[in-house]
Amino acid sequence: MPSPSDPAPCCAAGRETHQLLAVPSVTAPPAAARPAGGAMATLPGGAFLMGTDAGDGYPADGEGPVREVTVAPFRIDVTTVTNAAFAEFVEATGWVTLAERFGTSFVFAGLLPDDHPPTRGVAAAPWWREVYGADWRHPEGPASKLDDRLDHPVVHVTWRDARAYARWAGKRLPTEEEWEYAARGGLVQHHYPWGDEREPGGEHRMNVWQGTFPATNTAADGYVGTAPADAFPPNGYGLHNMTGNVWEWCANWFDQRSPTRAGAKAMRGGSYLCHDSYCFRYRVDARSSNTPDSSAGNIGFRCVADV
């Protein structure tokens, strides 16, 4: 039985590390048989300034110090993996996600219908509810469907699920260095993929919480939950939604700069639930984490591949 007693930072609920399940392995098919998948951008790589010393975020997350990092050329998905793409993977492999195996996942309470049966909340973040039957096919529980969300990011996927998809697609999950290099879109030391102003000229550039969290979401950016994976203009590298919408799993462990989150995998980018009153992590230089078996309605991923 999953327990919500030890959540990750307030942006995403998590399972305890001792609840890890053994999962089968998935290998990539022969190159000729690999799925076409979504569009990818080829990035030149090179040196860039990673992290931030701005001090307006969360130093305890290991956001700084700013340091020069070099990445090799690589390819990266233009969008996060969509529900349609993940369905193709499941159909081809028979993969059963960990949320389906556990029987529960975490859903933001504000997305549940008024008549939803009572559910357990996360002690430190009561807006998270553990919902039986919530999984990638049913983002808000058994009564919800994907009919109008096939182009939205797949959610309720764990790090292990994401890694399995990546292997099947002949790709891999990005390192944090690759992710941040890509998210910056060629800009230097800005908070967002387009600069330092969150809504330049009053224009919404990402899907984050609007209003007063957690009671009122005005949806001024157009969305209450997830947005289509290609919503909003792309960054300088042609990549959509590198901040906001859904958290994105990275390949590496988080504990190299934050021992308090040992046993957790890094996540980047923030989500539709981020609000600066409690979680100013919708930045390219922000970090978060969760255990490899954790899933929630605001966690997804995108893949990379070597050139």
Side-chain angles (χ1 to χ4, degrees), residues 7-244:
C10 49
C11 300
R15 301 186 193 277
E16 296 177 355
T17 55
H18 69 259
Q19 294 175 304
L20 301 182
L21 293 176
V23 296
S25 61
V26 171
T27 57
R34 289 178 187 171
M40 300 188 79
T42 300
L43 306 191
F48 77 104
L49 295 179
M50 182 174 181
T52 180
D53 294 327
D56 54 357
Y58 305 95
D61 286 350
E63 295 176 353
V66 174
R67 62 271 185 202
E68 185 174 273
V69 174
T70 300
V71 296
F74 65 100
R75 299 169 66 218
I76 185 168
D77 290 343
V78 168
T79 72
T80 50
V81 174
T82 63
N83 286 311
F86 198 78
E88 183 182 359
F89 159 65
V90 169
E91 182 176 358
T93 64
W95 185 262
V96 179
T97 63
L98 269 67
E100 293 170 289
R101 295 175 65 188
F102 278 119
T104 70
S105 190
F106 293 97
V107 178
F108 176 67
L111 297 179
L112 297 174
D114 293 339
D115 59 353
H116 194 276
T119 60
R120 290 198 299 169
V122 174
W127 47 85
W128 282 112
R129 299 290 175 174
E130 186 182 22
V131 175
Y132 285 87
D135 55 48
W136 74 274
R137 289 188 180 91
H138 310 97
E140 292 82 50
S144 59
K145 299 180 180 179
L146 296 178
D147 294 350
D148 60 348
R149 288 183 272 187
L150 291 177
D151 61 345
H152 285 225
V154 64
V155 292
H156 295 294
V157 286
T158 67
W159 183 88
R160 298 174 191 274
D161 298 321
R163 181 181 61 175
Y165 174 96
R167 288 178 173 175
W168 169 75
K171 304 177 185 179
R172 57 182 174 80
L173 295 179
T175 65
E176 281 194 85
E177 290 80 4
E178 289 171 327
W179 188 95
E180 186 169 325
Y181 171 86
R184 289 186 177 278
L187 300 182
V188 179
Q189 284 293 289
H190 290 290
H191 273 333
Y192 307 116
W194 54 86
D196 276 329
E197 189 176 354
R198 187 177 66 184
E199 295 162 11
E203 178 186 0
H204 293 281
R205 297 289 186 93
M206 60 181 165
N207 177 20
V208 294
W209 188 276
Q210 307 289 320
T212 304
F213 189 87
T216 304
N217 188 348
T218 66
D221 56 22
Y223 304 97
V224 174
T226 58
D230 61 354
F232 302 100
N235 72 359
Y237 290 148
L239 311 178
H240 292 272
N241 294 333
M242 295 301 293
T243 52

Side-chain angles (χ1 to χ4, degrees), residues 6 17 253-256 258-265 289-292:
D6 182 25
T17 55
W253 295 100
F254 187 76
D255 60 0
Q256 70 268 34
S258 181
T260 60
R261 292 297 298 163
K265 289 291 186 177
S289 64
N290 220 324
T291 59

